[in-house]
Amino acid sequence: MTQDPTIPLRAALAQAPAQQFIDGDFRTPCGDGLIDILDPATGALLSQASAGEAADIDAAVKAARQAFDDGRWSGLPPARRQDMLLKLADLVAADADALALTESLDNGMPLMMAKMGGVMGAVGMLRYFAGWATKLGGETITPSWPGEWLGYTRREAVGVVGAITPWNFPLVMAVGKLAAALAAGCTVVLKPAEQAPLSAMRLARLVAEAGFPAGVVNIVTGYGHQAGAALVAHPGVDKISFTGSTLVGQQILRESAATMKRVTLELGGKSPTFIFGDADLERAIPAAAMGIFGNAGQVCAAGSRLFVHTSVFDRVAEGLTARAQSLRVGPGTDPATEMGPLISARQRDRVASYIEAGREAGVSLLAGGNTKGDAGYFIEPTILLEPGADLSVSREEIFGPVLCLMRFGDDDLDTIAARGNDSQYGLSSAIWTQDITRAHKLANRLRAGTVRINGSGPPDPALPLGGFKASGFGRENGRAGLEIYTELKTVTVALT
Ligand code: ADP
């Protein structure tokens, strides 16, 4: 009989020293504060991470500053930076099984999601942005001044980047920011989420093995209000790249003003999906279910508001209810699991309190609505039937497996779009219809950073990602996602 692969990993994690990765070395933290890292499927202690303090952040920022200022990274030939990123990609790919298991244990997500979306997603990010290292460039522009002139622009690395990442897809979020910043020539201090930092610390070992110059990548674990806040306040940091809640994003934006940091924010969402009467329901129903129950709804672009044309409403409602009731909910490391636990007791209770508020307002449920099991932080896949548009369940980001299901009639596209746009958020959206004109007209009317028509794949590093309105500031991925790590410099030369 083969041994349960989580047993040796759990043993290693239980014994792993709580260290910080600073200036190319694993260091003993400045303070002795520790964060308990819990297994969300059981609530049991998995490991302990250092509760990094301002002094740890200061050491990391100084190392990153030195590494940026002396040009040991930004001054390398671009092809050399590309090679280093490709090497890290190979090391991450070679460590895929252990990294995915670490992620699944720590975050609770199904192992297959940790492997494909997480680890292989991270490898894709590294390979994609590696290619940009050699392609980053400016333009030649002729000024309309008397005489003969040469004008051109340069894209220069913005400097030291503070990357602050959430717990919902810990590895790929961290690697996405690292890959783009490093390709642009920046140096980085990464502060992973306190709830799930284990894959980032494993990544630190691979960064060390890849042979990046000391100080180019630093990883400091800690709480948001301590290590995270210290990073945002530090004058040695030029840019903050943050993914997380809108509330913290707003706080970071305010705090960054004092030192005039550049800021990119990927924040919350309450993304609408529209299923029209002519949609291919065989595909639309499972996609809508995956869109809200995937990763237990802990996805910033989760399709949490579903609008269905009245002619197919009953079929869609039945299909979704059947899916919600049959979804196998369990520990992420069980290969049969389709939906894992939520990240923490706090998050489970938060989600449960939204459902409760809906119930109290008289909303009926088509499926779920309860916590599940005695141990761990499970919530049943839940569908709320036509909650009022002004209720908290309809307006706020729940970040759990809770779908608001609404119907629409033969309204015009402006009216339909207005219902979708009736939100402080504008991250993502989805449209299901065979009518291509309708699809594109609605796409134009939606105030969202992404519109998916008749399906979509996993996040692609080439596709810009980000939000309108309270969903964010700036874009990650694609060329836009590289340029956020640069300053644009204009150079003019008198040729007369
Ligand atoms: P979530 O609601 O998903 O936990 P948060 O926005 O609270 O999202 O956290 C996302 C990341 O931001 C985490 O790494 C967290 O530690 C960090 N963070 C939280 N508060 C602050 C803060 N005041 N300053 C900087 N980072 C913070």
Side-chain angles (χ1 to χ4, degrees):
M1 211 179 110
T2 50
Q3 197 196 17
D4 174 357
T6 67
I7 292 172
L9 183 61
R10 282 180 194 277
L13 290 172
Q15 286 158 19
Q19 291 174 318
Q20 309 287 16
F21 183 64
I22 295 174
D23 208 12
D25 279 324
F26 287 91
R27 291 197 187 168
T28 304
C30 296
D32 50 14
L34 292 172
I35 303 172
D36 287 344
I37 308 300
L38 306 181
D39 177 347
T42 61
L45 187 69
L46 266 181
S47 188
Q48 288 185 311
S50 162
E53 298 174 359
D56 299 293
I57 289 289
D58 186 53
V61 172
K62 283 194 174 124
R65 187 81 257 165
Q66 176 74 32
F68 182 76
D69 290 345
D70 69 15
R72 76 184 77 163
W73 181 247
S74 61
L76 285 180
R80 184 79 193 103
R81 291 207 303 272
Q82 171 178 304
D83 290 347
M84 293 291 305
L85 286 166
L86 291 173
K87 182 158 183 206
L88 181 58
D90 289 345
L91 291 172
V92 171
D95 196 36
D97 288 339
L99 262 173
L101 204 53
T102 305
E103 189 89 316
S104 176
L105 268 181
D106 196 8
N107 162 282
M109 72 173 67
L111 191 53
M112 189 50 80
M113 180 178 273
K115 182 118 182 226
M116 300 316 296
V119 182
M120 296 323 287
V123 170
M125 287 284 181
L126 285 163
R127 293 197 172 133
Y128 173 79
F129 280 110
W132 268 117
T134 53
K135 287 152 202 81
L136 189 60
E139 293 175 296
T140 310
I141 302 162
T142 306
S144 300
W145 298 333
E148 194 173 343
W149 295 88
L150 167 65
Y152 63 94
T153 59
R154 287 167 53 80
R155 286 263 169 207
E156 298 183 359
V158 69
V160 174
V161 172
I164 302 177
T165 49
W167 43 259
N168 61 337
F169 290 97
L171 184 73
V172 73
M173 293 283 177
V175 168
K177 291 188 193 302
L178 271 181
L182 294 174
C186 297
T187 60
V188 183
V189 177
L190 167 69
K191 207 296 286 170
E194 56 269 37
Q195 298 88 344
L198 300 180
S199 58
M201 288 320 286
R202 194 171 178 101
L203 176 72
R205 305 217 301 253
L206 304 176
V207 167
E209 193 181 336
F212 283 85
V216 171
V217 178
N218 307 272
I219 304 181
V220 178
T221 59
Y223 289 111
H225 66 279
Q226 292 174 344
L231 192 54
V232 174
H234 202 295
V237 175
D238 299 289
K239 178 183 175 83
I240 294 289
S241 177
F242 169 81
T243 301
S245 62
T246 292
L247 211 62
V248 174
Q250 287 169 325
Q251 198 173 337
I252 287 177
L253 198 54
R254 275 195 300 274
E255 304 281 322
S256 298
T259 43
M260 213 56 176
K261 287 184 179 63
R262 283 79 183 103
V263 178
T264 302
L265 305 172
E266 292 292 340
L267 309 175
K270 193 76 185 173
S271 298
T273 297
F274 301 88
I275 299 182
F276 285 85
D278 64 348
D280 177 352
L281 297 186
E282 297 293 311
R283 290 173 54 234
I285 292 172
M290 185 61 198
I292 186 64
F293 302 137
N295 206 20
Q298 302 167 115
V299 179
C300 49
S304 48
R305 291 183 296 146
L306 176 60
F307 298 91
V308 182
H309 189 266
T310 191
S311 61
V312 290
F313 186 86
D314 290 346
R315 276 175 66 197
V316 172
E318 273 162 34
L320 282 170
T321 304
R323 188 79 195 111
Q325 287 168 346
S326 64
L327 213 59
R328 288 189 297 267
V329 179
T333 51
D334 178 344
T337 291
E338 294 175 297
M339 191 180 101
L342 300 190
I343 188 72
S344 62
R346 182 170 162 261
Q347 185 65 12
R348 177 201 56 200
D349 295 345
R350 208 178 144 260
V351 173
S353 74
Y354 273 111
I355 298 172
E356 198 42 44
R359 275 200 181 106
E360 275 169 18
V363 178
S364 52
L365 277 70
L366 289 183
N370 302 306
T371 57
K372 203 170 153 64
D374 301 328
Y377 315 132
F378 296 95
I379 288 232
E380 293 171 343
T382 298
I383 303 175
L384 304 181
L385 183 60
E386 304 205 67
D390 53 350
L391 296 182
S392 62
V393 287
S394 303
R395 305 209 72 77
E396 293 171 25
E397 182 180 50
I398 297 178
F399 226 58
V402 182
L403 179 69
C404 295
L405 177 62
M406 278 83 59
R407 74 174 76 219
F408 64 91
D410 290 321
D411 306 315
D412 63 24
L413 287 177
D414 287 323
T415 306
I416 292 169
R419 287 184 73 188
N421 291 335
D422 180 21
S423 169
Q424 62 164 325
Y425 296 113
L427 190 57
S428 192
S429 57
I431 301 169
W432 292 87
T433 176
Q434 306 288 351
D435 180 338
I436 191 116
T437 304
R438 174 157 69 192
H440 285 291
K441 283 176 110 169
L442 183 54
N444 289 350
R445 283 161 175 73
L446 291 174
R447 304 263 301 147
T450 296
V451 183
R452 311 156 196 244
I453 299 174
N454 293 334
S456 72
D460 188 307
L463 294 173
L465 180 86
F468 283 35
K469 302 191 277 182
S471 289
F473 223 84
R475 294 291 179 271
E476 292 193 286
N477 298 347
R479 177 196 284 268
L482 183 79
E483 289 180 351
I484 58 169
Y485 295 106
T486 65
E487 290 281 13
L488 189 61
K489 180 181 283 177
T490 302
V491 182
T492 60
V493 190
L495 300 177
T496 46

